[in-house]
Amino acid sequence: MRISNRFSRSMLFEDGIPTIFEENGKKGIKMGNGERIVPSIYDSIKELDMPTFQYSVELDGKFGVLEVNENGEVTTKLEIEYDLFQYLKHEEYYLVRKNDKYGIWHNHLYLPCEYDEIRLLENNDLLICKNGKYGVYDWHICVPCEYDEIKYIKYELKKKFCELEYTSCENYMLLRQGDKYGLWSKETQLLPTIYDEVVPPTDEWGIKVKKDGVWGYFDKEHNFTTDLSKVPLEWENLSDAGENIAF
């Protein structure tokens, strides 16, 4: 649950907090004492849930961000020149677009507008695309934009500790470069993109891979083997395992 910043920032304003007003179909901002600090020239103004009083504004189809301090002084946090300003449903991060390129704004331009695509994944990481190549951003670039395709995979694994059963969520990124596959997890490249097929873990045991027609197995310690006697019986028939990696 997200907790609003509005109460804590309101304590700074002795004469009442800023409010949005409308006049002749246009919107502006005034202080609690009635002083108009932003003229009513904007098509829309929306208050942002930030630690300070910040507002997204729209003027003639362009978006930007204004900030009002406790003295009623207004500063421009984001120039009114963006074609999109959209809440990402994660903390206080916003998707912005300029000249058909996307970026991320979070109190400043967190990611510059140089990406072809930015999409929020289920685990709140961002899938990013630059010059036709994909990567992953989790508030820093953890997977570089070098891949032709990336698939987010989430597994809920049932585990047991001291007779207590619990469910652990594991997140993986299945990577493709050309016709070769690899795997990332938790900012670590588990497998380079050299395999014909990769099947991420569906239990605690490990990862199944195929290279040059031969299946192999990485256990949970990332030790590799092709010896079927060392793997669970249910893994011995893997002729259809590659179907799990379809994009």
Side-chain angles (χ1 to χ4, degrees):
M1 181 178 67
R2 299 177 69 244
I3 300 175
S4 174
N5 292 297
R6 203 171 201 271
F7 177 77
S8 59
R9 68 191 178 195
S10 298
M11 302 295 289
L12 298 173
F13 290 78
E14 296 180 355
D15 297 326
I17 63 174
T19 57
I20 300 169
F21 71 94
E22 184 171 345
E23 184 178 60
N24 299 323
K26 299 291 185 177
K27 294 185 177 181
I29 301 173
K30 63 182 178 180
M31 295 296 286
N33 60 9
E35 179 188 0
R36 298 187 177 192
I37 55 175
V38 174
S40 53
I41 61 172
Y42 294 98
D43 301 311
S44 72
I45 298 180
K46 296 179 181 178
E47 184 179 338
L48 306 180
D49 188 15
M50 301 295 288
T52 59
F53 275 95
Q54 296 183 22
Y55 302 84
S56 68
V57 298
E58 180 185 0
L59 180 64
D60 299 330
K62 298 294 183 179
F63 296 87
V65 176
L66 303 179
E67 181 180 60
V68 180
N69 68 14
E70 62 269 26
N71 298 317
E73 298 168 337
V74 181
T75 56
T76 300
K77 297 284 289 186
L78 183 70
E79 295 295 335
I80 307 171
E81 57 187 22
Y82 291 82
D83 303 309
L84 177 73
F85 188 86
Q86 178 179 305
Y87 178 55
L88 265 181
K89 298 183 180 179
H90 177 67
E91 302 298 334
E92 292 95 19
Y93 292 89
Y94 295 83
L95 181 68
V96 296
R97 186 180 70 232
K98 182 179 178 182
N99 299 328
D100 293 325
K101 297 292 183 180
Y102 293 88
I104 297 294
W105 188 85
H106 173 68
N107 208 31
H108 65 279
L109 199 57
Y110 215 74
L111 273 183
C113 289
E114 57 185 33
Y115 295 91
D116 306 315
E117 178 185 354
I118 296 179
R119 180 156 43 94
L120 187 67
L121 299 174
E122 185 179 346
N123 67 340
N124 289 328
D125 288 349
L126 296 176
L127 180 69
I128 56 178
C129 179
K130 186 176 181 179
N131 299 325
K133 299 293 183 180
Y134 287 88
V136 177
Y137 180 83
D138 67 346
W139 317 121
H140 70 281
I141 304 278
C142 64
V143 179
C145 293
E146 298 175 351
Y147 300 93
D148 297 308
E149 214 157 0
I150 295 179
K151 182 179 181 181
Y152 168 69
I153 301 172
K154 175 183 176 181
Y155 287 117
E156 292 185 352
L157 308 180
K158 294 187 180 298
K159 297 184 178 182
K160 191 173 184 179
F161 178 74
C162 295
E163 303 304 320
L164 176 66
E165 293 186 354
Y166 65 98
T167 300
S168 173
C169 180
E170 303 288 341
N171 299 308
Y172 296 92
M173 299 294 172
L174 185 62
L175 316 174
R176 180 175 66 82
Q177 280 184 319
D179 60 355
K180 299 298 181 182
Y181 296 88
L183 197 67
W184 277 74
S185 175
K186 297 177 181 177
E187 304 185 14
T188 302
Q189 186 170 23
L190 299 179
L191 300 176
T193 48
I194 61 173
Y195 297 95
D196 303 318
E197 298 183 27
V198 172
V199 183
T202 55
D203 52 37
E204 289 188 79
W205 206 84
I207 303 165
K208 303 176 269 287
V209 298
K210 183 179 181 181
K211 189 174 186 294
D212 300 328
V214 178
W215 281 101
Y217 318 90
F218 288 90
D219 64 19
K220 60 184 178 181
E221 307 299 331
H222 300 162
N223 298 313
F224 180 76
T225 182
T226 57
D227 185 352
L228 287 178
S229 67
K230 297 181 179 180
V231 302
L233 292 177
E234 61 267 25
W235 282 27
E236 293 186 7
N237 183 10
L238 289 173
S239 59
D240 297 325
E243 294 179 2
N244 293 320
I245 65 168
F247 279 96

